[in-house]
Amino acid sequence: MTEPHLADVPDVLLREFAAVVGETHVLTGDATAGYAVDWTGAFHGHTPAVLRPGSTAEVASLLALCGDAGVPVVPQGGNTGLVGGGVPLHGEVVLSLARLDRLGPVDTSAAQVTAGAGVTLQQVADADPALDLGVLIASRGSATVGGAIATNAGGLRVLRYGPMRSQLRGVEAVLSDGTIVSHLSGLVKDNTGYDYPGLLAGSEGTLAVVTAARLQLVPRAAGPVTVLIGLDSLGELHELASRALREVPGLLSAEFFTAAGLAVLAEHAGLAPPLRAPVYLLLEAAGPGAGEDLAALAGDLPVAVGTTAADRARLWAYRERHPEAAGFLGVPLKLDVSVPAAQWVRLASEVAGVLHAVDPDARVIIYGHVADGNVHVNVVTAAPADGRHEEAVFGLVISLGGSVSAEHGIGALKAPWFPLVRSDAERALFTRIRSAFDLAGILNPHVLPR
Ligand code: MLT
Ligand code: ZN
């Protein structure tokens, strides 16, 4: 996925960028390499320049310059995205928000904090010992607030706290003509017009550049207990997860993976399985009676229990390292799909079969978020990567009433299949919304196709 043509950025414009941010924060040539490829190695791009502003005012000045010159821009956070939405695949300028790393004081009365776009999710989670960020993702040490908002990151606790959009109490953002819009007061009740922070969540850098956010925090889980349960089938696993949702009031997470992924992690990452089963359900709960509730649910099934931080981390590693598993076998195609709860077992059970029908030697690893109807399908292809794998998986998903992107976004990876899930009328509305925000028409032009 390379595109040799670079946006036309004359030297005079590079000098104007440098006048805004300083020469050391305008990267060109080899210095841009790390910003032009994603962490999985699936998306390789090129950029004439990486711009590293240190303030919202600098973001505004840079966007005004790019807007005037008609230079396309890809905003980039921690570069942990999975659909190529933050990589300059078409020679765009990269606007890195990493230096907007100011974390404000925690407002303990409101349980809120204002964080710059470049603050990592882990830093937000660590801001106050009694409070936590509701969103928990494996890449939290690198993923940033701005990127997590732009992708509406989901992760491991959506069933309890919702995705990133649900944590938003306000944003500060810059439009492509350099206009700064800011609504950071954090009021829980504030019916004063359009909820543009909610609209920016999941907009994949196409509407505006988020520079800061007011985030709602949640009470830190008290006495969390993690259990890993071995089961014989995906049907039994789904049934048990559904019971957990009904019977464990303190439930925080309901995650799954299979023996196929665990075998790869055992071989390549030294993660010895704590118990052996075809499929695994990881549940975490907190609060009064959480341990008893989980034990009652597990009954006589094989189970590993973690109550100390070290034991819980050990159990979580089996699930949290699954995103890396396919990468040990090759460059993975990462398809992140969701279906209604009633169809989850069919999706999880049939997806490897539809892939093997078009690529018999493909390696398929599945894992994900049971309670959200969300399966991550990681494929290391053997047949040509000509769209057949996407067609096979998305065909199954659509037949089950699902979505081609549960939480990773459309980005570059899924752009050709966007019309499968959004009607002509919806896409026309999206185009009008986009025009209203991105007056200069320069923000991530190849993401979320018009
Ligand atoms: C996860 O749930 O682990 C993330 O969405 C990352 C991934 O799927 O690779
Ligand atoms: Zn996920």
PDB file of all heavy atoms in Angstrom, residues 23 39 55-56 64 72 107 138 191 208 221 227 229 243 319 329 357-358 390 449:
ATOM      1  N   GLU A  23      12.619  24.809  13.836  1.00  0.00           N
ATOM      2  CA  GLU A  23      13.145  23.871  12.827  1.00  0.00           C
ATOM      3  C   GLU A  23      13.213  22.435  13.310  1.00  0.00           C
ATOM      4  O   GLU A  23      12.996  21.491  12.544  1.00  0.00           O
ATOM      5  CB  GLU A  23      14.544  24.321  12.398  1.00  0.00           C
ATOM      6  CG  GLU A  23      14.501  25.206  11.174  1.00  0.00           C
ATOM      7  CD  GLU A  23      15.874  25.720  10.810  1.00  0.00           C
ATOM      8  OE1 GLU A  23      16.854  24.979  10.994  1.00  0.00           O
ATOM      9  OE2 GLU A  23      15.932  26.873  10.355  1.00  0.00           O
ATOM     10  N   TRP A  39       2.366   0.131  13.317  1.00  0.00           N
ATOM     11  CA  TRP A  39       3.153  -0.793  14.156  1.00  0.00           C
ATOM     12  C   TRP A  39       3.072  -2.243  13.684  1.00  0.00           C
ATOM     13  O   TRP A  39       3.951  -3.048  13.965  1.00  0.00           O
ATOM     14  CB  TRP A  39       2.776  -0.679  15.633  1.00  0.00           C
ATOM     15  CG  TRP A  39       1.421  -1.238  15.997  1.00  0.00           C
ATOM     16  CD1 TRP A  39       0.250  -0.547  16.002  1.00  0.00           C
ATOM     17  CD2 TRP A  39       1.097  -2.577  16.409  1.00  0.00           C
ATOM     18  NE1 TRP A  39      -0.791  -1.368  16.369  1.00  0.00           N
ATOM     19  CE2 TRP A  39      -0.297  -2.625  16.637  1.00  0.00           C
ATOM     20  CE3 TRP A  39       1.832  -3.746  16.606  1.00  0.00           C
ATOM     21  CZ2 TRP A  39      -0.961  -3.784  17.039  1.00  0.00           C
ATOM     22  CZ3 TRP A  39       1.165  -4.905  17.008  1.00  0.00           C
ATOM     23  CH2 TRP A  39      -0.214  -4.907  17.227  1.00  0.00           C
ATOM     24  N   SER A  55       1.672  23.371  20.896  1.00  0.00           N
ATOM     25  CA  SER A  55       0.519  24.046  21.519  1.00  0.00           C
ATOM     26  C   SER A  55      -0.641  24.059  20.533  1.00  0.00           C
ATOM     27  O   SER A  55      -0.453  23.869  19.319  1.00  0.00           O
ATOM     28  CB  SER A  55       0.879  25.488  21.886  1.00  0.00           C
ATOM     29  OG  SER A  55       1.068  26.236  20.689  1.00  0.00           O
ATOM     30  N   THR A  56      -1.813  24.330  21.080  1.00  0.00           N
ATOM     31  CA  THR A  56      -3.002  24.430  20.218  1.00  0.00           C
ATOM     32  C   THR A  56      -2.844  25.577  19.221  1.00  0.00           C
ATOM     33  O   THR A  56      -3.229  25.451  18.048  1.00  0.00           O
ATOM     34  CB  THR A  56      -4.246  24.651  21.099  1.00  0.00           C
ATOM     35  OG1 THR A  56      -4.351  23.541  21.992  1.00  0.00           O
ATOM     36  CG2 THR A  56      -5.512  24.767  20.276  1.00  0.00           C
ATOM     37  N   ALA A  64      -3.738  26.390   9.290  1.00  0.00           N
ATOM     38  CA  ALA A  64      -4.070  27.521   8.419  1.00  0.00           C
ATOM     39  C   ALA A  64      -3.123  27.555   7.218  1.00  0.00           C
ATOM     40  O   ALA A  64      -3.548  27.782   6.080  1.00  0.00           O
ATOM     41  CB  ALA A  64      -3.996  28.829   9.213  1.00  0.00           C
ATOM     42  N   PRO A  72      -2.721  18.296   1.896  1.00  0.00           N
ATOM     43  CA  PRO A  72      -3.439  17.334   2.730  1.00  0.00           C
ATOM     44  C   PRO A  72      -2.641  16.932   3.970  1.00  0.00           C
ATOM     45  O   PRO A  72      -1.415  16.849   3.929  1.00  0.00           O
ATOM     46  CB  PRO A  72      -3.656  16.127   1.810  1.00  0.00           C
ATOM     47  CG  PRO A  72      -2.795  16.335   0.634  1.00  0.00           C
ATOM     48  CD  PRO A  72      -2.371  17.762   0.564  1.00  0.00           C
ATOM     49  N   ASP A 107      -9.843  17.147  38.728  1.00  0.00           N
ATOM     50  CA  ASP A 107     -10.943  17.781  39.468  1.00  0.00           C
ATOM     51  C   ASP A 107     -11.661  16.647  40.207  1.00  0.00           C
ATOM     52  O   ASP A 107     -12.484  15.938  39.630  1.00  0.00           O
ATOM     53  CB  ASP A 107     -11.848  18.483  38.458  1.00  0.00           C
ATOM     54  CG  ASP A 107     -13.121  19.045  39.108  1.00  0.00           C
ATOM     55  OD1 ASP A 107     -13.383  18.738  40.297  1.00  0.00           O
ATOM     56  OD2 ASP A 107     -13.849  19.765  38.408  1.00  0.00           O
ATOM     57  N   ALA A 138      -5.018  -2.466  25.242  1.00  0.00           N
ATOM     58  CA  ALA A 138      -3.691  -3.055  25.452  1.00  0.00           C
ATOM     59  C   ALA A 138      -2.576  -2.072  25.109  1.00  0.00           C
ATOM     60  O   ALA A 138      -1.517  -2.089  25.724  1.00  0.00           O
ATOM     61  CB  ALA A 138      -3.558  -4.328  24.618  1.00  0.00           C
ATOM     62  N   ASN A 191     -27.236  21.190  27.661  1.00  0.00           N
ATOM     63  CA  ASN A 191     -27.988  21.088  26.402  1.00  0.00           C
ATOM     64  C   ASN A 191     -27.991  22.419  25.673  1.00  0.00           C
ATOM     65  O   ASN A 191     -28.977  23.145  25.648  1.00  0.00           O
ATOM     66  CB  ASN A 191     -29.426  20.636  26.680  1.00  0.00           C
ATOM     67  CG  ASN A 191     -29.522  19.125  26.815  1.00  0.00           C
ATOM     68  OD1 ASN A 191     -28.581  18.414  26.494  1.00  0.00           O
ATOM     69  ND2 ASN A 191     -30.647  18.645  27.294  1.00  0.00           N
ATOM     70  N   ALA A 208     -11.788  17.537  12.247  1.00  0.00           N
ATOM     71  CA  ALA A 208     -11.007  18.550  12.950  1.00  0.00           C
ATOM     72  C   ALA A 208      -9.888  17.824  13.676  1.00  0.00           C
ATOM     73  O   ALA A 208      -9.929  16.601  13.818  1.00  0.00           O
ATOM     74  CB  ALA A 208     -11.889  19.298  13.958  1.00  0.00           C
ATOM     75  N   ALA A 221     -11.526   0.425  40.323  1.00  0.00           N
ATOM     76  CA  ALA A 221     -12.193  -0.816  40.725  1.00  0.00           C
ATOM     77  C   ALA A 221     -11.656  -1.290  42.079  1.00  0.00           C
ATOM     78  O   ALA A 221     -10.443  -1.351  42.280  1.00  0.00           O
ATOM     79  CB  ALA A 221     -11.970  -1.884  39.658  1.00  0.00           C
ATOM     80  N   VAL A 227     -10.792 -14.076  36.340  1.00  0.00           N
ATOM     81  CA  VAL A 227     -10.811 -15.534  36.174  1.00  0.00           C
ATOM     82  C   VAL A 227     -10.663 -15.871  34.702  1.00  0.00           C
ATOM     83  O   VAL A 227     -11.166 -15.161  33.830  1.00  0.00           O
ATOM     84  CB  VAL A 227     -12.114 -16.190  36.719  1.00  0.00           C
ATOM     85  CG1 VAL A 227     -12.222 -16.036  38.217  1.00  0.00           C
ATOM     86  CG2 VAL A 227     -13.351 -15.658  36.020  1.00  0.00           C
ATOM     87  N   ILE A 229     -11.456 -19.030  32.304  1.00  0.00           N
ATOM     88  CA  ILE A 229     -12.231 -20.275  32.333  1.00  0.00           C
ATOM     89  C   ILE A 229     -12.043 -20.998  31.006  1.00  0.00           C
ATOM     90  O   ILE A 229     -12.136 -20.388  29.933  1.00  0.00           O
ATOM     91  CB  ILE A 229     -13.729 -19.957  32.548  1.00  0.00           C
ATOM     92  CG1 ILE A 229     -13.918 -19.149  33.843  1.00  0.00           C
ATOM     93  CG2 ILE A 229     -14.560 -21.246  32.594  1.00  0.00           C
ATOM     94  CD1 ILE A 229     -15.336 -18.644  34.059  1.00  0.00           C
ATOM     95  N   ARG A 243     -24.568 -15.199  30.859  1.00  0.00           N
ATOM     96  CA  ARG A 243     -24.950 -15.368  32.270  1.00  0.00           C
ATOM     97  C   ARG A 243     -24.168 -14.392  33.151  1.00  0.00           C
ATOM     98  O   ARG A 243     -24.719 -13.827  34.091  1.00  0.00           O
ATOM     99  CB  ARG A 243     -24.677 -16.814  32.720  1.00  0.00           C
ATOM    100  CG  ARG A 243     -25.845 -17.755  32.466  1.00  0.00           C
ATOM    101  CD  ARG A 243     -25.576 -19.111  33.102  1.00  0.00           C
ATOM    102  NE  ARG A 243     -25.233 -19.020  34.522  1.00  0.00           N
ATOM    103  CZ  ARG A 243     -24.448 -19.871  35.169  1.00  0.00           C
ATOM    104  NH1 ARG A 243     -23.916 -20.901  34.538  1.00  0.00           N
ATOM    105  NH2 ARG A 243     -24.206 -19.723  36.446  1.00  0.00           N
ATOM    106  N   ARG A 319      -4.782 -12.711  27.149  1.00  0.00           N
ATOM    107  CA  ARG A 319      -5.699 -11.999  26.252  1.00  0.00           C
ATOM    108  C   ARG A 319      -5.035 -10.765  25.631  1.00  0.00           C
ATOM    109  O   ARG A 319      -5.136 -10.554  24.429  1.00  0.00           O
ATOM    110  CB  ARG A 319      -6.966 -11.582  27.043  1.00  0.00           C
ATOM    111  CG  ARG A 319      -7.824 -10.534  26.365  1.00  0.00           C
ATOM    112  CD  ARG A 319      -8.377 -11.000  25.023  1.00  0.00           C
ATOM    113  NE  ARG A 319      -9.125  -9.936  24.364  1.00  0.00           N
ATOM    114  CZ  ARG A 319      -8.589  -9.047  23.537  1.00  0.00           C
ATOM    115  NH1 ARG A 319      -7.296  -9.091  23.221  1.00  0.00           N
ATOM    116  NH2 ARG A 319      -9.342  -8.111  22.987  1.00  0.00           N
ATOM    117  N   LEU A 329       3.592 -14.757  13.041  1.00  0.00           N
ATOM    118  CA  LEU A 329       3.504 -15.658  11.890  1.00  0.00           C
ATOM    119  C   LEU A 329       3.674 -14.923  10.562  1.00  0.00           C
ATOM    120  O   LEU A 329       3.889 -15.553   9.525  1.00  0.00           O
ATOM    121  CB  LEU A 329       2.143 -16.372  11.895  1.00  0.00           C
ATOM    122  CG  LEU A 329       1.752 -17.093  13.194  1.00  0.00           C
ATOM    123  CD1 LEU A 329       0.340 -17.647  13.096  1.00  0.00           C
ATOM    124  CD2 LEU A 329       2.746 -18.222  13.480  1.00  0.00           C
ATOM    125  N   ALA A 357     -12.146 -21.245   2.856  1.00  0.00           N
ATOM    126  CA  ALA A 357     -12.758 -21.516   1.548  1.00  0.00           C
ATOM    127  C   ALA A 357     -12.073 -20.699   0.452  1.00  0.00           C
ATOM    128  O   ALA A 357     -12.018 -21.136  -0.705  1.00  0.00           O
ATOM    129  CB  ALA A 357     -14.255 -21.216   1.592  1.00  0.00           C
ATOM    130  N   VAL A 358     -11.557 -19.519   0.796  1.00  0.00           N
ATOM    131  CA  VAL A 358     -10.892 -18.698  -0.229  1.00  0.00           C
ATOM    132  C   VAL A 358      -9.377 -18.749  -0.111  1.00  0.00           C
ATOM    133  O   VAL A 358      -8.662 -18.305  -1.019  1.00  0.00           O
ATOM    134  CB  VAL A 358     -11.367 -17.219  -0.164  1.00  0.00           C
ATOM    135  CG1 VAL A 358     -12.861 -17.129  -0.471  1.00  0.00           C
ATOM    136  CG2 VAL A 358     -11.043 -16.558   1.175  1.00  0.00           C
ATOM    137  N   GLU A 390     -11.202 -10.094   2.919  1.00  0.00           N
ATOM    138  CA  GLU A 390     -12.182  -9.122   3.406  1.00  0.00           C
ATOM    139  C   GLU A 390     -13.580  -9.487   2.915  1.00  0.00           C
ATOM    140  O   GLU A 390     -14.550  -9.469   3.677  1.00  0.00           O
ATOM    141  CB  GLU A 390     -11.830  -7.704   2.930  1.00  0.00           C
ATOM    142  CG  GLU A 390     -10.569  -7.115   3.549  1.00  0.00           C
ATOM    143  CD  GLU A 390      -9.323  -7.411   2.714  1.00  0.00           C
ATOM    144  OE1 GLU A 390      -9.309  -8.433   1.993  1.00  0.00           O
ATOM    145  OE2 GLU A 390      -8.369  -6.625   2.810  1.00  0.00           O
ATOM    146  N   PRO A 449     -14.245   7.418   2.909  1.00  0.00           N
ATOM    147  CA  PRO A 449     -14.402   7.941   1.555  1.00  0.00           C
ATOM    148  C   PRO A 449     -15.680   8.738   1.373  1.00  0.00           C
ATOM    149  O   PRO A 449     -16.698   8.419   1.967  1.00  0.00           O
ATOM    150  CB  PRO A 449     -14.435   6.679   0.697  1.00  0.00           C
ATOM    151  CG  PRO A 449     -14.733   5.568   1.636  1.00  0.00           C
ATOM    152  CD  PRO A 449     -14.209   5.960   2.961  1.00  0.00           C
TER     153      PRO A 449
END
